[in-house]
Amino acid sequence: MNVRKLYHTARGVQDLVTTEREASVSPSIQRRLWLWRRGFLSRSDAIFGLTKKNHDSYLTDYQRFVKTKRINGTWSVALSNKLLFHQLMGPFDEHRMDVYGMIRDGSFHSIDSLDARHELTDGGAVVSSDGPSIDDQSGLTSPEPNDAAQRVVDRLESESQLVLKWVHGGGGNNVLLCKRCEDGYTVNGDRYSESAFRSLVADLEEYLVCEHVEQGTFSGGLYPVTPNTLRIITMYDEEAGEPFIAAAIHRIGTETSEPLDNFTQGGLSAEIDLETGELGPGVKLSDGNRLEWHSDHPETDTTIDGTHVPGWEDIRTRLLEVADACSFVPYAGWDVIVTGDDGEFKIIEANSYPGMKSIQVHGPLLTDDRVRRFYERHNVC
């Protein structure tokens, strides 16, 4: 084992141990030992209902945390670094969100817009890209044109909503949903005065300033408070020379999961039929890690079970084209927002070793022979 593999193995085991320590379930020591010997965490037992007969049909936590991290090799950075991923999606511009810039050392660094160092106005002052000027009314020096807080505030004045994402990491962590309101701002639902909001932005380091993607009527109707994303797992079949979709779910937010739709934070997961786009019932982790199944959304009463993702065939076809263009990254969990009724969508991000709880809560992955062969080929199973 080379140094790189040794490092990632150690990090994976560390993440595995940390996750187990933070688990809110406490099976007996005997049960935990049974699970650990087979590569599972306590929470997975509560979700999957593991037995001697079925446990080998599930991708284990050890395989996910340690072994699947190795599948994409050095190219995993193309997905884990959100700025690199944004550039990777350049040929599919209609399916990527706009990224206006990055916040670094208190400055705004333009990404998508070449003319981003535009003139700013502040109380009658005009600030050009050549540097600060003196306000002709107050005599005060105006902000630098690339001042991060000012640029974010200006953008919110015109768009009212933005998403700030840390360049690194995944799982919905370090994502700030920012909105302009009458008396200031909200960040992930918490209110901020303008001065507090500016301080928050100024303290961010290596955060992307992204457009807020408006979801379509179908996804928005399921639960309008949160973005409700599709999680689609693709794998590249080297023998066939093509990618395929291994599994897909529609994640749906709830009052518990706000401001996001994460399953492990209380959101719903509804399985998507890969051929028809039909949704099954939504499942939610309740207190005590018990599963609740819902044909209708428990808060909006919107029907889930039996409805169809609009334009699913087009979404599936187009996403496979994207995965094929990225065949050097053979394993990905794509987060997609459906923006219209005719197959329009945007890819929010992709994950190099996607979580499995929201997927395998609907059934074990390894019962699919093609999926099992993929994992075996990459020394996961």
Side-chain angles (χ1 to χ4, degrees), residues 152-351:
V152 171
V153 165
D154 286 347
R155 181 66 69 170
L156 280 170
E157 286 294 328
S158 61
E159 297 193 16
S160 75
Q161 296 187 70
L162 287 174
V163 179
L164 307 183
K165 289 185 175 184
W166 191 39
V167 172
H168 313 282
N173 298 317
N174 303 305
V175 175
L176 306 177
L177 306 182
C178 306
K179 295 182 180 181
R180 181 78 171 92
C181 54
E182 291 183 2
D183 56 348
Y185 302 86
T186 63
V187 179
N188 290 350
D190 297 327
R191 290 194 171 273
Y192 283 74
S193 66
E194 181 167 338
S195 61
F197 180 72
R198 286 176 178 269
S199 295
L200 172 69
V201 173
D203 288 340
L204 297 176
E205 185 63 20
E206 296 193 343
Y207 269 70
L208 299 182
V209 181
C210 310
E211 73 165 315
H212 176 268
V213 177
E214 291 290 341
Q215 58 191 342
T217 56
F218 176 78
S219 295
L222 294 170
Y223 192 71
V225 183
T226 65
N228 303 302
T229 58
L230 310 185
R231 165 58 64 85
I232 303 174
I233 309 292
T234 62
M235 302 175 177
Y236 194 82
D237 187 333
E238 295 177 0
E239 293 180 0
E242 64 181 13
F244 67 96
I245 295 177
I249 58 170
H250 202 317
R251 299 186 297 194
I252 307 164
T254 66
E255 290 180 356
T256 308
S257 72
E258 289 181 23
L260 300 174
D261 59 357
N262 290 12
F263 174 71
T264 54
Q265 295 174 7
L268 292 159
S269 169
E271 185 177 21
I272 301 173
D273 184 291
L274 299 184
E275 292 299 320
T276 66
E278 181 177 348
L279 299 185
V283 59
K284 178 179 184 289
L285 274 174
S286 65
D287 295 338
N289 290 294
R290 294 184 179 181
L291 299 179
E292 296 179 357
W293 294 87
H294 299 273
S295 295
D296 304 322
H297 194 285
E299 286 134 22
T300 64
D301 292 327
T302 305
T303 301
I304 299 172
D305 189 16
T307 60
H308 290 76
V309 177
W312 169 251
E313 185 175 350
D314 290 336
I315 293 171
R316 181 186 61 194
T317 300
R318 187 59 168 159
L319 190 65
L320 284 173
E321 290 175 359
V322 175
D324 192 39
C326 302
S327 60
F328 53 90
V329 186
Y331 186 51
W334 308 87
D335 290 345
V336 171
I337 288 186
V338 180
T339 57
D341 296 330
D342 297 313
E344 301 92 346
F345 68 92
K346 290 207 174 183
I347 299 170
I348 304 304
E349 62 183 51
N351 300 270

Side-chain angles (χ1 to χ4, degrees), residues 38-73:
R38 289 158 179 80
F40 291 99
L41 300 179
S42 300
R43 198 175 194 190
S44 294
D45 190 30
I47 296 172
F48 304 150
L50 298 168
T51 67
K52 293 180 180 179
K53 292 183 177 181
N54 71 10
H55 73 84
D56 58 355
S57 295
Y58 286 90
L59 189 75
T60 72
D61 292 299
Y62 179 81
Q63 289 167 336
R64 185 257 163 170
F65 276 93
V66 177
K67 293 191 172 184
T68 64
K69 282 186 177 182
R70 304 171 186 165
I71 293 176
N72 292 327

Side-chain angles (χ1 to χ4, degrees), residues 14-23 41 65 357:
Q14 183 182 34
D15 291 342
L16 196 69
V17 171
T18 300
T19 302
E20 179 70 350
R21 285 176 177 172
E22 295 174 351
L41 300 179
F65 276 93
K357 289 182 175 61

Side-chain angles (χ1 to χ4, degrees), residues 72 75-93 96 111-112 321-332 334 347 349-350:
N72 292 327
W75 287 104
S76 62
V77 68
L79 304 187
S80 61
N81 184 301
K82 294 180 176 62
L83 179 54
L84 291 181
F85 176 71
H86 179 70
Q87 303 295 359
L88 182 68
M89 290 294 100
F92 303 95
D93 191 56
R96 67 174 185 170
I111 292 175
D112 280 347
E321 290 175 359
V322 175
D324 192 39
C326 302
S327 60
F328 53 90
V329 186
Y331 186 51
W334 308 87
I347 299 170
E349 62 183 51

